[in-house]
Amino acid sequence: RRASALLPRLPIVTAPPPAGLELLDAARPSTRDLLAFERDGHCAMRGLLSPAEAALVLAELRAEHARRTDEMAAKLRADHGERFQKREVPFEQLFNLWTCSAAARAVVGSERLARTAATLLGCERVRLYQDTLLVKRRGHGATHWHSDLHMAPLDTNAFVTCWLALTPVPRQSEGGSSLVFASGSHRDCAHLFWAAEPTAPVAPGRYSLRSHAPHAPGDATWHHGWILHAAPPNGADADRWSFAVTFFADGARTLSVQQRERMDDEDSPSYRGWLAELEPGAPAVHERLPLVPRAAPRPSAARAKRPTRDAGAPRANRPADGALAHVERRAEARRRSAGRE
Ligand SMILES: O=C(O)CCC(=O)C(=O)O
Ligand SMILES: [Fe+2]
């Protein structure tokens, strides 16, 4: 269903964040974001990365992608045969670039993303589950309906993905291929419990289908691990580059061997390395599932004094600093527009 590519297991990079990608502040989801995430299973955060930050990430990931073109093509051909030539696949995909790219590592371990993930999940601390570079070329096919937790070997509900647009994504009516969410499906226990095929194409009328397009580079959507989502074929006149980063609340256990028989193993290239090194059912604790945000020296004494029990809580009273001014402005605009409704 989803194209995937195997990333060879390399030593994890330890380089500090490249200049311009420090991403030191959490994005502080508004009450409206928190409520939308809880009720609908998804929310949008425009400008989570500034245009300059998004451009830096895109340049680094393009370089990483170029280094792995042959490897990825071989995997796509193996999975999809001739359909690969005809661009009938959903996308080209690389997993866990954070292990080899300092830029990817800067993003996945950042306060900006990881602290926001903890806030959305309502937990103290998150671990990184995976990152994914998704290149949906012009003419690539649909991303079919699925829910991410069906493809993850973790026994948890606290699992969230930040999907970052790195290139502009037009509205669907203009051929754009943003994610489409079946609102509320993440807490549709009746569907999960009764449906013979819980990830089969969504029954008409059961959910309201929602996209947050158009997106500018740096815009993000966040979606819950159980939510059903898909994306239409890329009918726009440019390739769509996006970077998806997934977190889970620290404390989850891995699935037992019996439970794993019921999961979809399509994403196994992402997790089989660390999973093989843990006992089935053991806590999901591994160097490839690091606690994030990464420990970083605080740039000022004021930050150093921030009590740790506040970790994960929205910090509505923190002043904006220069690097984050655009996030502040957009958060303020969101709060104002929420107040008008
Ligand atoms: O980008 C896409 O088309 C699919 C991404 C996705 O399913 C995800 O990030 O969970
Ligand atoms: Fe997904």
Side-chain angles (χ1 to χ4, degrees), residues 114-314:
R115 191 77 66 198
T116 305
T119 304
L120 289 171
L121 295 176
C123 67
E124 194 69 27
R125 208 72 208 275
V126 289
R127 286 183 183 273
L128 176 69
Y129 174 68
Q130 68 179 23
D131 71 43
T132 318
L133 173 66
L134 298 141
V135 187
K136 212 183 208 3
R137 303 273 182 204
R138 265 173 293 186
H140 268 176
T143 305
H144 296 297
W145 289 102
H146 67 281
S147 73
D148 300 336
L149 269 171
H150 272 282
M151 301 192 291
L154 295 179
D155 183 2
T156 186
N157 292 301
F159 189 94
V160 62
T161 295
C162 178
W163 187 95
L164 279 162
L166 298 177
T167 50
V169 184
R171 289 178 205 284
Q172 275 182 46
S173 56
E174 292 157 19
S177 56
S178 67
L179 295 187
V180 181
F181 303 104
S183 287
S185 56
H186 67 305
R187 54 179 193 174
D188 187 353
C189 298
H191 178 70
L192 286 170
F193 194 81
W194 294 116
E197 184 59 82
T199 56
V202 183
R206 188 172 180 106
Y207 308 109
S208 107
L209 303 185
R210 179 81 212 277
S211 141
H212 295 280
H215 298 299
D219 283 355
T221 58
W222 295 82
H223 64 267
H224 189 275
W226 284 122
I227 197 168
L228 287 162
H229 56 289
N234 186 3
D237 59 9
D239 297 343
R240 186 206 77 179
W241 287 68
S242 55
F243 188 51
V245 188
T246 302
F247 305 93
F248 65 99
D250 183 30
R253 289 177 176 273
T254 62
L255 297 180
S256 68
V257 172
Q258 198 181 15
Q259 287 168 322
R260 283 179 212 172
E261 283 168 16
R262 295 171 55 196
M263 71 178 286
D264 178 337
D265 65 358
E266 187 173 319
D267 280 359
S268 65
S270 169
Y271 57 74
R272 64 179 166 223
W274 60 258
L275 192 62
E277 291 174 9
L278 299 178
E279 285 297 317
V285 173
H286 194 276
E287 64 166 348
R288 306 236 157 201
L289 302 170
L291 282 166
V292 281
R294 62 176 178 264
R298 294 274 161 191
S300 76
R303 285 203 181 119
K305 272 192 251 145
R306 187 160 57 81
T308 50
R309 66 188 159 76
D310 282 355

